[in-house]
Amino acid sequence: MYDSPNNPCPVIAKRAQEHRDATIAAVRPPLPDFDGLPQDSSQVPKFILTPEEIAITESDPADLVSKLTSGAILSRTVTVAFLRRAALAQKLTNCVTELLPVAALERSAKLDRYFMENGRPTGPLHGLPISIQEMIGIKGLTQNAGYMAWHDRIAAENAHIIDILIKAGAVLYARTTQPQTQLQLETSNNYFGDTVNPFNRKLTAGGSPGGEGALIGMRGSCLGLGTEFGGSLRSPAANNGLYGFKPTSLRLPTGGFMASMLAQEGIVPVVGPLSTSLEGVKLIMQTVLDSQPWDIQPSLVPIPWRTESQLERLPSGEKCLKVGVMFDDGVVMPHPPVLRAIKTVADALTGVKGIELVMWKPYRHDWAWEITSSLFFCDGAKEVTEDLLALSEPEPVLPLAADLIRLTNGGTVNSMWDWIKKRDVYRGEYAQLWRDVDVLLCPAGPSAAPLIGTAKYYGYSSQWNLLDYPAVVAPVTKVDPKIDTADPNYQPRNVKDKENHELYNAQEYEAAPVSIQLVAKRFQDEKLIEAMDLIKEKVGLPFASFT
Amino acid sequence: MYDSPNNPCPVIAKRAQEHRDATIAAVRPPLPDFDGLPQDSSQVPKFILTPEEIAITESDPADLVSKLTSGAILSRTVTVAFLRRAALAQKLTNCVTELLPVAALERSAKLDRYFMENGRPTGPLHGLPISIQEMIGIKGLTQNAGYMAWHDRIAAENAHIIDILIKAGAVLYARTTQPQTQLQLETSNNYFGDTVNPFNRKLTAGGSPGGEGALIGMRGSCLGLGTEFGGSLRSPAANNGLYGFKPTSLRLPTGGFMASMLAQEGIVPVVGPLSTSLEGVKLIMQTVLDSQPWDIQPSLVPIPWRTESQLERLPSGEKCLKVGVMFDDGVVMPHPPVLRAIKTVADALTGVKGIELVMWKPYRHDWAWEITSSLFFCDGAKEVTEDLLALSEPEPVLPLAADLIRLTNGGTVNSMWDWIKKRDVYRGEYAQLWRDVDVLLCPAGPSAAPLIGTAKYYGYSSQWNLLDYPAVVAPVTKVDPKIDTADPNYQPRNVKDKENHELYNAQEYEAAPVSIQLVAKRFQDEKLIEAMDLIKEKVGLPFASFT
């Protein structure tokens, strides 16, 4: 039993929570105590932080970098502001595994000194605080990846991408929560429980890097790194009103991560940025690829971040963009606010010079999920099960982790090869259909930020992991119970569709962020970000405020 | 028993041989009969073909293409010449599974008509005959990949790369032999027996595309396609005095091939050109990559063939090249002619302006082989065994195929993942060591073309499959028993070294082609070919005639 005196889990969890709390208590100036947790936490910082701290933490990371690299602001000032807001975010949403106030303040002071002595920044991210999902290794710190059995794992080295960020001048100050097994679209583990949504605590922050999602959603960070495998980086971004970018695999370095099944090649895990702005996304891509990470991780493809425009232009100068529009993947019909977000954006794009819209007919997305879920645990879930059962009294397997593990299929090398062949056939078929569009505008998920415990449908995100297409999510609006009423006449098409349909009750999702997703063909990462920028500019996104 | 009346294999083999012989008998003008098979077949065509046929078939493929695309020569004339020389090559070296005289002559006539009517070629390979390893699918033709059980497999479609070559104007006229399982450094199967070396029939043509090697070595083709997985494309090139190029994986399209374990991702199978000239290699790379094959096979990396120079230059204009030199991989000491080839080239490069030589210390090549051989049959050899045993009375497993299958290690998804992790660590370590050189000059194998049945050491080629570094082999010289005497004092370091050492007897290898290998970092394919061109030019390669 979990509560038996011999079960190590409660002891491990308590120790982790105490450590986390101690790092938060060490933040200076200390945060005032406050009572109660409001349903919508997003406005709380306004009552607690100083106007300067609010201004700093709500800045676009690109503006912060421009001030930091020109000496217009001290890294220490920025770091203190983010440490305080992150501490507050933790109290409100349970998103942090630990803060690093001592190391971060030492580091920012050192960077400030460097600037003062040399009159120039150390690198393109000089002095910028960046938050990091816990499974991305930082030398000397825990790396338990959400497994209780790994509670004593300490990273021997920085992950490769951490080294790059540090060299570029970043300040590491916050580490964030993630779900058990990393394979959940929510963030719950036996160390810390649930990470909740800043805008509505009945809702999930998403996952795997749900801690990043909630922390950045709370503006306790403006830029962070998360990982994904089946859509889990985009889910926290979409659920928290953020930009989240899943690049094509093998562009950003993944050395030094901790998770089960890292050697899996059927669907390649990726890392990517979450940020309050699209500029933040670009900042990470540019900085990391400028470092030529393929020299260290030879599996990466040596394509630099291309800054020249990837779009054609009309003779009159406007950029051309052919946008496929998909409201529904043919399997699970998204909830009304998601359909509204897509429709509003598509309507606003209609008639814009240079932009052409075409309806996209989804091609067998149900089959895509069958391939994806068969590849996820293609060892018959042996590795993940061993990691879950490694303690003398194993930790409880959480429901959403168990749901996915149950889909295990095959378990031999030969069954895996069968699914890889099916994957490659499907990828080839999809590539043929794709020839006619530049990007696809589609839902980021079947709902706005889901109710906790209900995020079960991966299709809208995992589709692009299977195809390995770059995908970016962007905030559009929030659920408004007055307009986002359920369609009483909708007839679900299948069990999954019914389950999703029955979840919807506009009141429950009040204020939940609603996002769109934009997808491009494999390796057209730069074109995708440029297209997102263009759409954002033409449409005037977002339509709601997230601070 | 193989000879029992119920065993289907002899019947299948007889049918395949009769079909082959009929296609050869259909070549016009017919070849004269001749008696006996000389040890060195390479001079026989000079006594049988017309001077024009000899001139055509011994041309550089780039010169032929230039004549064909300018209308200076008819495709039909070229095709007839290659058909006749290929028929002769078959009689001498047993390298062909079938010729395609009817289809090839129809095609070349059609191409000639097109040129006459339109005054321009159909594409960059207009009218050029190209030979193809049998497992690369051609619509409507066999695709047995050397397995007896697959005798009735017929390709439903052209392989993707075949479609590209046809669109570029190539004429398909010859299909070539390959070994059972494709995983042998020789070419022997139960259909056709051994493919022998044009220069010395006691020696192997190499494998897997040994048919390509012998056919092009005989100048029965000037340009062909072969596949590899553990070095087998370079082995036939090296053994037959040819250029053979293994590009970085996922550059050239592999859709529509037939083999066991095609879904294997631990070491990715590749296709590449074998040719009588380096220009032929470039012709294939340029033509195939210009077609943007990644639009059809999304797993390919969308990097075009870069024609701008990849090398730095001295202020005085000379290209700079830092060449690592490795005589010996630290596991198996190459035979004297191989060491002589490396030394001659390195000596000739010494002092050349812009070129710097450094000695290369091999890093754990024995461990690399352990990783490689463990990944080869990472399903516990289940798939390959099923394919070998699929007939009611299974075909005999040939010794060199069996040798490799015996190395099977693990057999579960989890054991495969363990080896993939080891692979990635090793790749990372090697990348760190590589930072100081542009290219590595090293042996193409532990010997000149090996005695039939003795090609057992993969290390010199498989090393670069494991690392996925592009590698090209180039002809240097031939074994000369007068100079290439054995070192009587050599003390073998291990069992493999002893086995290789004891094979050497200069007389046996008389006239065997000796090649070098040049290797570059992953995705530096263009730099590698440019470096090979530079070295060829500075050194004046080859030092022997292969026609």
Side-chain angles (χ1 to χ4, degrees):
Chain A
M1 301 297 292
Y2 190 77
D3 291 328
S4 84
N6 292 329
N7 192 317
C9 291
V11 179
I12 293 169
K14 185 155 179 277
R15 201 160 53 217
Q17 292 166 21
E18 284 171 357
H19 169 71
R20 176 199 63 197
D21 294 345
T23 67
I24 285 173
V27 170
R28 290 289 172 276
L31 292 166
D33 284 334
F34 57 92
D35 283 339
L37 294 168
Q39 173 160 308
D40 181 345
S41 309
S42 64
Q43 301 308 305
V44 176
K46 303 243 193 297
F47 300 98
I48 291 183
L49 303 179
T50 68
E52 190 197 15
E53 284 169 342
I54 293 168
I56 289 170
T57 51
E58 296 183 7
S59 298
D60 187 308
D63 293 339
L64 275 181
V65 157
S66 138
K67 285 183 185 156
L68 285 160
T69 55
S70 65
I73 194 169
L74 289 177
S75 173
R76 188 188 159 82
T77 310
V78 177
T79 303
V80 167
F82 276 110
L83 277 167
R84 291 194 80 222
R85 194 156 181 158
L88 191 52
Q90 162 55 26
K91 290 176 195 278
L92 292 162
T93 64
N94 193 27
C95 57
V96 160
T97 64
E98 64 180 327
L99 295 182
L100 309 169
V102 178
L105 290 174
E106 266 180 25
R107 163 101 173 133
S108 63
K110 195 173 151 197
L111 292 167
D112 289 336
R113 245 188 342 267
Y114 180 93
F115 194 96
M116 249 174 311
E117 285 166 10
N118 298 276
R120 55 181 169 81
T122 49
L125 302 179
H126 180 89
L128 186 72
I130 286 184
S131 52
I132 308 283
Q133 183 180 356
E134 196 259 9
M135 59 85 89
I136 301 174
I138 300 180
K139 187 175 175 176
L141 303 182
T142 67
Q143 202 176 13
N144 59 52
Y147 284 111
M148 300 304 274
W150 295 359
H151 65 95
D152 53 0
R153 291 196 181 183
I154 302 293
E157 299 293 341
N158 285 334
H160 179 186
I161 198 166
I162 294 292
D163 271 339
I164 295 168
L165 296 182
I166 291 175
K167 200 165 170 209
V171 175
L172 308 180
Y173 74 108
R175 307 181 74 220
T176 54
T177 54
Q178 62 216 337
Q180 185 190 51
T181 75
Q182 305 289 336
L183 275 153
Q184 295 184 40
L185 290 176
E186 302 193 11
T187 289
S188 185
N189 66 38
N190 291 314
Y191 285 96
F192 302 116
D194 290 317
T195 298
V196 304
N197 194 293
F199 300 93
N200 180 338
R201 66 174 50 258
K202 289 187 283 188
L203 309 177
T204 176
S208 66
E212 285 300 310
L215 178 65
I216 307 175
M218 285 295 303
R219 302 301 188 260
S221 167
C222 61
L223 187 54
L225 285 186
T227 60
E228 75 160 72
F229 188 40
S232 53
L233 177 168
R234 286 162 289 153
S235 123
N239 292 351
N240 296 285
L242 308 174
Y243 294 88
F245 178 45
K246 175 192 88 69
T248 304
S249 70
L250 302 176
R251 290 204 73 179
L252 296 188
T254 50
F257 294 1
M258 182 71 72
S260 304
M261 307 190 297
L262 279 177
Q264 212 260 105
E265 300 191 303
I267 294 177
V268 177
V270 296
V271 61
L274 296 92
S275 179
T276 51
S277 84
L278 199 54
E279 297 307 310
V281 165
K282 291 183 215 167
L283 209 53
I284 288 288
M285 295 307 294
Q286 182 83 57
T287 303
V288 176
L289 290 180
D290 279 357
S291 79
Q292 308 199 337
W294 47 83
D295 283 341
I296 308 266
Q297 183 180 336
S299 59
L300 301 181
V301 176
I303 301 179
W305 186 250
R306 293 160 289 194
T307 50
E308 66 279 14
S309 174
Q310 306 285 313
L311 297 176
E312 292 183 17
R313 282 176 191 265
L314 294 176
S316 49
E318 287 86 0
K319 288 182 176 178
C320 298
L321 190 67
K322 192 157 179 184
V323 184
V325 180
M326 181 183 90
F327 283 90
D328 160 24
D329 70 357
V331 186
V332 168
M333 177 63 73
H335 288 173
V338 175
L339 298 174
R340 175 168 64 92
I342 303 279
K343 183 163 189 314
T344 319
V345 173
D347 286 351
L349 288 172
T350 304
V352 172
K353 202 169 172 188
I355 294 188
E356 188 188 344
L357 301 182
V358 293
M359 287 307 293
W360 181 262
K361 199 169 164 282
Y363 175 69
R364 301 186 72 191
H365 285 216
D366 46 352
W367 174 236
W369 172 248
E370 203 169 325
I371 300 170
T372 306
S373 58
S374 300
L375 285 171
F376 270 167
F377 300 101
C378 60
D379 65 336
K382 187 162 181 287
E383 185 170 329
V384 77
T385 307
E386 280 175 9
D387 296 334
L388 285 167
L389 302 185
L391 284 175
S392 57
E393 293 202 26
E395 64 173 312
V397 180
L398 300 177
L400 293 176
D403 271 357
L404 214 55
I405 295 173
R406 278 192 204 103
L407 298 177
T408 298
N409 201 333
T412 68
V413 174
N414 304 95
S415 63
M416 181 191 80
W417 284 346
D418 280 346
W419 285 109
I420 283 176
K421 282 182 191 162
K422 288 169 183 159
R423 178 199 71 186
D424 286 349
V425 168
Y426 184 75
R427 285 178 173 175
E429 291 166 347
Y430 221 95
Q432 288 317 297
L433 298 171
W434 197 270
R435 303 195 121 184
D436 199 36
V437 298
D438 293 306
V439 291
L440 179 65
L441 169 66
C442 59
S447 70
L451 294 160
I452 285 175
T454 71
K456 295 185 179 183
Y457 185 66
Y458 282 72
Y460 285 97
S461 49
S462 62
Q463 176 71 21
W464 317 117
N465 297 84
L466 179 68
L467 294 175
D468 196 22
Y469 286 13
V472 62
V473 301
V476 174
T477 185
K478 289 179 177 174
V479 173
D480 180 344
K482 286 193 293 294
I483 16 179
D484 294 321
T485 50
D487 174 358
N489 298 318
Y490 184 72
Q491 294 298 323
R493 298 169 284 202
N494 55 56
V495 175
K496 284 181 184 171
D497 195 24
K498 184 162 184 281
E499 190 174 1
N500 186 61
H501 179 68
E502 288 174 352
L503 284 173
Y504 192 62
N505 170 338
Q507 308 300 332
E508 299 272 346
Y509 289 86
E510 178 149 25
V514 188
S515 300
I516 52 167
Q517 182 169 211
L518 203 68
V519 181
K521 211 164 114 169
R522 193 157 184 256
F523 283 111
Q524 295 189 341
D525 305 69
E526 293 86 343
K527 184 182 183 179
L528 173 67
I529 298 300
E530 186 181 1
M532 187 72 244
D533 236 347
L534 183 68
I535 290 174
K536 196 167 149 274
E537 177 207 322
K538 296 294 180 194
V539 173
L541 290 179
F543 302 138
S545 167
F546 294 90
T547 51
Chain B
M1 299 297 291
Y2 190 75
D3 292 327
S4 84
N6 293 328
N7 192 317
C9 292
V11 179
I12 293 169
K14 188 157 175 276
R15 201 161 53 219
Q17 290 167 23
E18 283 171 357
H19 168 73
R20 176 199 64 196
D21 293 346
T23 67
I24 284 173
V27 171
R28 291 290 173 275
L31 292 166
D33 285 336
F34 58 91
D35 285 340
L37 294 167
Q39 173 160 309
D40 181 345
S41 309
S42 65
Q43 300 309 304
V44 176
K46 302 243 193 299
F47 300 98
I48 291 182
L49 303 180
T50 67
E52 190 197 15
E53 285 169 343
I54 292 168
I56 289 170
T57 52
E58 295 183 7
S59 296
D60 187 307
D63 293 339
L64 274 182
V65 157
S66 137
K67 284 182 186 157
L68 284 161
T69 55
S70 66
I73 195 168
L74 289 177
S75 173
R76 189 188 158 82
T77 311
V78 176
T79 303
V80 167
F82 276 111
L83 277 167
R84 293 194 81 222
R85 194 155 181 159
L88 190 55
Q90 162 55 26
K91 290 173 195 282
L92 292 162
T93 65
N94 192 27
C95 56
V96 160
T97 64
E98 65 179 328
L99 295 183
L100 308 170
V102 178
L105 290 174
E106 266 178 27
R107 163 104 173 133
S108 64
K110 194 173 151 195
L111 292 167
D112 288 336
R113 248 191 337 269
Y114 180 94
F115 194 97
M116 250 174 308
E117 286 166 10
N118 298 277
R120 57 182 168 80
T122 49
L125 301 179
H126 181 89
L128 185 72
I130 287 184
S131 53
I132 308 283
Q133 184 180 357
E134 197 260 5
M135 60 85 88
I136 300 174
I138 300 179
K139 187 177 175 175
L141 302 182
T142 67
Q143 201 176 13
N144 60 52
Y147 284 111
M148 300 304 272
W150 296 358
H151 64 96
D152 54 0
R153 292 197 181 183
I154 302 293
E157 300 293 341
N158 284 334
H160 179 184
I161 199 167
I162 294 293
D163 272 338
I164 296 168
L165 295 181
I166 290 176
K167 199 165 172 210
V171 174
L172 308 180
Y173 74 108
R175 308 182 72 220
T176 54
T177 55
Q178 61 218 335
Q180 185 189 49
T181 75
Q182 304 290 338
L183 276 153
Q184 295 184 39
L185 289 176
E186 303 193 9
T187 290
S188 186
N189 66 37
N190 290 313
Y191 285 95
F192 303 115
D194 289 316
T195 299
V196 305
N197 193 292
F199 301 93
N200 180 337
R201 65 176 49 258
K202 288 188 284 188
L203 308 178
T204 177
S208 66
E212 285 300 311
L215 178 66
I216 308 176
M218 284 296 302
R219 301 303 188 258
S221 167
C222 61
L223 187 54
L225 286 187
T227 60
E228 74 160 73
F229 188 41
S232 55
L233 177 168
R234 288 162 287 152
S235 122
N239 292 352
N240 295 286
L242 306 174
Y243 294 87
F245 176 45
K246 175 191 88 70
T248 304
S249 70
L250 302 175
R251 290 204 72 178
L252 296 188
T254 50
F257 293 2
M258 183 71 72
S260 304
M261 307 191 295
L262 278 177
Q264 212 260 107
E265 300 190 305
I267 294 175
V268 178
V270 296
V271 61
L274 296 93
S275 180
T276 50
S277 85
L278 199 55
E279 296 306 310
V281 166
K282 290 183 215 168
L283 209 53
I284 288 287
M285 295 307 293
Q286 182 83 58
T287 303
V288 176
L289 290 180
D290 279 357
S291 79
Q292 309 200 334
W294 45 85
D295 283 340
I296 308 267
Q297 183 180 336
S299 59
L300 300 181
V301 176
I303 301 179
W305 186 251
R306 293 160 289 195
T307 49
E308 67 278 16
S309 175
Q310 306 286 315
L311 297 176
E312 291 182 19
R313 282 176 191 265
L314 294 176
S316 49
E318 287 86 359
K319 289 181 175 178
C320 297
L321 189 68
K322 192 156 180 184
V323 184
V325 180
M326 181 184 89
F327 284 90
D328 159 23
D329 71 356
V331 186
V332 167
M333 178 63 74
H335 289 172
V338 175
L339 298 174
R340 173 168 65 90
I342 303 279
K343 184 166 189 310
T344 319
V345 173
D347 285 352
L349 288 172
T350 305
V352 172
K353 202 168 171 189
I355 294 186
E356 188 187 344
L357 301 182
V358 293
M359 286 309 292
W360 182 262
K361 198 168 166 283
Y363 174 69
R364 300 186 72 193
H365 286 217
D366 46 353
W367 173 235
W369 173 247
E370 204 168 324
I371 300 171
T372 306
S373 58
S374 301
L375 285 171
F376 270 167
F377 300 100
C378 59
D379 66 337
K382 188 163 179 288
E383 185 170 330
V384 77
T385 306
E386 280 174 9
D387 296 334
L388 285 167
L389 301 185
L391 285 175
S392 55
E393 292 203 27
E395 65 175 309
V397 180
L398 301 176
L400 292 177
D403 270 358
L404 214 54
I405 295 173
R406 276 191 205 102
L407 298 178
T408 298
N409 201 331
T412 69
V413 174
N414 305 95
S415 63
M416 181 191 80
W417 284 347
D418 280 347
W419 285 109
I420 283 175
K421 282 182 191 162
K422 289 169 183 158
R423 177 200 71 186
D424 286 349
V425 168
Y426 184 74
R427 284 178 174 175
E429 290 166 348
Y430 222 94
Q432 289 317 297
L433 298 170
W434 198 270
R435 304 198 118 184
D436 199 36
V437 298
D438 293 304
V439 291
L440 178 66
L441 169 66
C442 58
S447 70
L451 294 160
I452 285 175
T454 70
K456 296 185 180 183
Y457 185 65
Y458 282 73
Y460 284 98
S461 49
S462 63
Q463 176 72 22
W464 316 115
N465 296 82
L466 179 68
L467 295 175
D468 196 23
Y469 285 12
V472 62
V473 302
V476 174
T477 185
K478 289 178 176 172
V479 173
D480 180 345
K482 288 193 294 294
I483 7 179
D484 294 319
T485 49
D487 175 357
N489 299 319
Y490 183 72
Q491 295 297 325
R493 299 170 282 201
N494 55 53
V495 175
K496 286 180 185 173
D497 195 25
K498 183 162 184 281
E499 191 175 2
N500 186 62
H501 179 69
E502 289 174 352
L503 284 173
Y504 192 64
N505 170 336
Q507 307 300 332
E508 300 273 347
Y509 290 85
E510 177 148 27
V514 189
S515 300
I516 53 168
Q517 182 168 215
L518 203 67
V519 181
K521 211 163 113 167
R522 194 158 182 255
F523 283 109
Q524 296 190 340
D525 304 69
E526 292 87 345
K527 184 181 184 179
L528 173 67
I529 298 299
E530 186 181 1
M532 187 72 244
D533 236 348
L534 183 68
I535 290 173
K536 197 169 148 271
E537 176 207 323
K538 297 295 182 195
V539 172
L541 290 180
F543 301 136
S545 167
F546 294 91
T547 51

